[in-house]
Amino acid sequence: MCLVRYGRAQWIGTALADDPQLTVRGVAGPQPSRVVIDPKGRLGADARIFADNGVRRLLITAQGTRCAPPPGVEIVALPAAEGCIAPSAILSALAGYGMRRILIEGGANTVSRFLAAGCLDRLHVMVAPIILGAGGPGLILPPLERADQAQRMPIRVHKIEDDVLFDCDLSDQRVALGIAKKST
Ligand SMILES: NC(=O)c1ccc[n+]([C@@H]2O[C@H](COP(=O)([O-])OP(=O)(O)OC[C@H]3O[C@@H](n4cnc5c(N)ncnc54)[C@H](OP(=O)(O)O)[C@@H]3O)[C@@H](O)[C@H]2O)c1
């Protein structure tokens, strides 16, 4: 028997801005579990991410926060220090639900927290040749003093029509949380 254990995690900034469904569409295969990290309980019960399509739905929040998601959504309350739940604690909690392969679809805020905490195996950076003008930061990390302090990592490059995807391998700097199946 093959058991697919896979979760997609969405973060409150993106969930509020885009109201995504976080489902897989356009290809056959199992739907992933869905997770939203909402430490202050800001997401409304009618958010599309909570819609029941038969998969597990989790709401991760800070301990002591009152949340009222719709029935069937499981609440996971974790300790928060100054509003931040340690990314390692989030991954450990999800591992307890059998989720060991997590796709994080967050904005800069979330991705930066996971990167800084050494909690990413891979980072996908998509570069598209369109000019949008000034925008928000892609990553929010402390500035370096010298260019030679910059991180380099093994990458694979994929051209997708006119866009370029950099698949960055961060597994060397990953903190240990347990044994996870490595993505190929
Ligand atoms: N280009 C892309 O591929 C892409 C992908 C996804 C999203 N986006 C865009 O990014 C924008 C949103 O980005 P964003 O940086 O504002 O929001 P975000 O990263 O989606 O969410 C940030 C919020 O999530 C919560 N959060 C995340 N990690 C946490 C942690 N470890 N502990 C506690 N709380 C945590 C906090 O909520 P609280 O504020 O409630 O404390 C935080 O402010 C949207 O415009 C969206 O469209 C772009």
Side-chain angles (χ1 to χ4, degrees):
M1 187 177 79
C2 175
L3 183 62
V4 178
R5 290 181 174 167
Y6 178 76
R8 289 181 90 179
Q10 179 82 56
W11 307 81
I12 183 65
T14 301
L16 288 172
D18 302 343
D19 195 17
Q21 298 178 72
L22 223 63
T23 55
V24 173
R25 298 181 292 280
V27 291
Q31 288 287 335
S33 303
R34 301 196 298 277
V35 182
V36 62
I37 284 63
D38 184 6
K40 300 185 187 111
R42 294 198 284 150
L43 198 58
D46 57 348
R48 297 198 301 176
I49 200 170
F50 288 144
D52 186 359
N53 69 338
V55 303
R56 178 164 236 161
R57 292 154 292 148
L58 295 180
L59 168 60
I60 294 186
T61 192
Q63 283 175 348
T65 298
R66 286 174 61 92
C67 299
V73 175
E74 298 165 83
I75 298 175
V76 182
L78 296 175
E82 296 177 9
C84 183
I85 303 170
S88 58
I90 294 171
L91 294 183
S92 295
L94 295 181
Y97 285 85
M99 298 178 197
R100 292 182 169 273
R101 298 182 66 178
I102 313 294
L103 171 64
I104 298 170
E105 290 198 32
N109 189 317
T110 301
V111 173
S112 301
R113 290 189 206 211
F114 273 75
L115 184 57
C119 286
L120 295 181
D121 293 300
R122 292 163 74 178
L123 176 67
H124 280 184
V125 179
M126 182 76 96
V127 179
I130 55 173
I131 297 171
L132 290 172
L139 290 174
I140 307 162
L141 295 170
L144 299 176
E145 287 178 17
R146 300 189 317 272
D148 64 2
Q149 296 171 327
Q151 290 180 29
R152 275 212 181 261
M153 68 290 296
I155 59 161
R156 285 188 294 184
V157 181
H158 305 274
K159 191 164 184 309
I160 303 172
E161 299 181 350
D162 285 340
D163 299 348
V164 179
L165 171 68
F166 294 89
D167 177 7
C168 307
D169 181 351
L170 301 174
S171 53
D172 278 354
Q173 28 201 301
R174 176 83 153 81
V175 297
L177 295 172
I179 300 167
K181 188 174 175 209
K182 189 160 181 172
S183 301
T184 53

